[in-house]
């Protein structure tokens, strides 16, 4: 019986897929299947996988529908207890799958069934001694950020609870998606993993960092660079949408002074990078997405979870600043 389905979204990823899939074929645990969701690639990546990795199931989309649509298609096709989302620009160490499954099944101080996701220790492809991501955090400034980015990897060998798992290399409990919904395709890309984790947190689930599951990651392989118009526009748009969607109105009012400062700082930052226009355009686009039918329904039974999240938003603010 298979324990997990690995879903790899792909868009013109020919240069990365060989090493990525080869690392999966050499895993210490092999009770998993691999689904490649192709987002209308125009290179020869699909033909390459068909020829060299025939065991991989390929699902083609007619055009680039974005990260969220691609991974949702893979999740819908899965029939296993767990789904592992993996970017095509990664190379996994041989115990990657084994350690992710161990992490999500490990008993902790809370019921193991309340664990929604676990993210791998993501190190930089060009310098594996440096971190790329040790879990994602979200703070009262309205910022999502990756813990440990650019810092020595040896500092991040301890398991910890995190706000969200970066969907570039993470395992998810499949049945929870039936309760909270799949990735929100309105995002297209960026902050979608923070959003789905936020919804899981509201429902009482938890997310963890699994340092023994190691993956090397190129980063920005599809968008092309750390800062570009596409990424800035969608990130700023989705930052507004994320707040409106997941925070009840009293929580938005409570955090408003912090959020205002956060958006002003970002505005000044991107103005310095020459991207002020794109950032503001993104904010306006995000405001247009704020419709009542998109908002997570507030339920009194989740009030305690909202309280825990709010404390984390404040704590994560100081963690980010320090």
């Amino acid at each position: 019986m298979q324990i997990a389905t690995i879903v790899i979204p792909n868009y013109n990823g020919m240069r990365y897929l060989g090493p990525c899939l080869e690392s999966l074929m050499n895993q210490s645990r092999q009770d998993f299947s691999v689904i490649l969701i192709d987002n209308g690639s125009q290179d020869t990546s699909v033909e390459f996988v068909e020829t060299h990795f025939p065991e991989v199931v390929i699902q083609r989309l007619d055009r680039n529908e974005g990260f969220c649509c691609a991974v949702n298609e893979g999740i819908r096709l899965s029939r296993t207890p767990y789904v592992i989302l993996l970017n095509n620009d990664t190379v996994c160490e041989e115990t990657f799958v084994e350690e992710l499954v161990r992490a999500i099944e490990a008993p902790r101080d809370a019921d193991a069934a309340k664990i929604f996701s676990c993210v791998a220790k993501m190190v930089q492809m060009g310098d594996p001694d440096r971190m790329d991501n040790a879990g994602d955090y979200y703070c009262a400034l309205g910022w999502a950020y990756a813990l440990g980015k650019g810092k020595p990897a040896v500092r991040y060998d301890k398991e910890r609870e995190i706000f969200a798992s970066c969907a570039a290399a993470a395992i998810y409990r499949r049945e929870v998606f039936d309760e909270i919904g799949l990735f929100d395709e309105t995002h297209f890309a960026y902050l979608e993993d923070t959003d789905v984790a936020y919804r899981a947190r509201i429902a009482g689930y938890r997310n963890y960092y699994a340092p023994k599951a190691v993956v090397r990651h190129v980063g920005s392989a599809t968008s092309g660079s750390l800062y570009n118009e596409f990424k800035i526009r969608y990130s700023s748009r989705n930052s507004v949408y994320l707040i409106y969607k997941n925070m009840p109105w009293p929580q938005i009012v409570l955090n408003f002074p912090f959020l205002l400062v956060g958006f002003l700082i970002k505005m000044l930052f991107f103005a310095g990078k020459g991207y002020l226009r794109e950032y503001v355009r993104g904010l306006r686009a995000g405001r247009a997405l704020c419709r009542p039918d998109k908002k997570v329904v507030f339920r009194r039974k989740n009030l305690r979870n909202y309280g825990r999240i709010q404390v984390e938003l404040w704590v994560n603010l100081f963690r980010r600043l320090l």
Side-chain angles (χ1 to χ4, degrees), residues 4-181:
T5 303
I6 298 179
V7 177
I8 303 176
N10 177 66
Y11 179 66
N12 294 335
M14 177 63 202
R15 62 182 295 190
Y16 303 111
L17 281 172
C20 176
L21 292 173
E22 190 65 37
S23 71
L24 294 179
M25 299 305 112
N26 294 320
Q27 289 294 298
S28 59
R29 183 168 185 166
Q30 286 290 323
D31 51 346
F32 62 86
S33 58
V34 181
I35 301 177
L36 182 82
I37 308 296
D38 186 72
N39 251 329
S41 293
Q42 299 172 344
D43 63 2
T44 59
S45 53
V46 172
E47 291 75 15
F48 170 80
V49 175
E50 288 175 334
T51 301
H52 295 89
F53 299 94
E55 59 270 74
V56 174
V57 176
I58 299 174
Q59 182 76 6
R60 297 176 184 248
L61 302 180
D62 294 334
R63 59 181 182 178
N64 187 359
E65 300 284 358
F67 177 87
C68 299
C69 180
V71 297
N72 283 349
E73 185 68 18
I75 294 170
R76 292 188 190 98
L77 291 172
S78 67
R79 296 294 182 270
T80 52
Y82 305 114
V83 175
I84 297 174
L85 302 185
L86 186 67
N87 277 15
N88 60 6
D89 60 337
T90 57
V91 173
C92 308
E93 291 198 357
E94 63 178 12
T95 58
F96 169 75
V97 173
E98 179 180 349
E99 291 296 342
L100 279 183
V101 173
R102 183 207 62 78
I104 201 169
E105 292 185 338
R108 294 179 176 84
D109 59 333
D111 182 2
K114 296 300 287 185
I115 300 172
F116 173 50
S117 71
C118 295
V119 68
K121 179 179 183 178
M122 300 170 62
V123 298
Q124 297 178 11
M125 183 71 77
D127 185 2
D129 292 330
R130 294 282 172 181
M131 288 298 302
D132 183 64
N133 188 298
D136 286 345
Y137 288 82
Y138 188 65
C139 73
L141 294 173
W143 299 354
Y145 60 93
L147 185 68
K149 196 170 188 70
K151 296 181 179 180
V154 294
R155 297 182 186 176
Y156 298 89
D157 286 337
K158 291 185 178 180
E159 183 180 87
R160 62 171 60 89
E161 187 171 358
I162 56 177
F163 191 89
S165 292
C166 173
I171 187 170
Y172 296 84
R173 194 177 300 273
R174 174 65 178 81
E175 63 183 5
V176 178
F177 287 112
D178 295 330
E179 177 182 348
I180 68 170

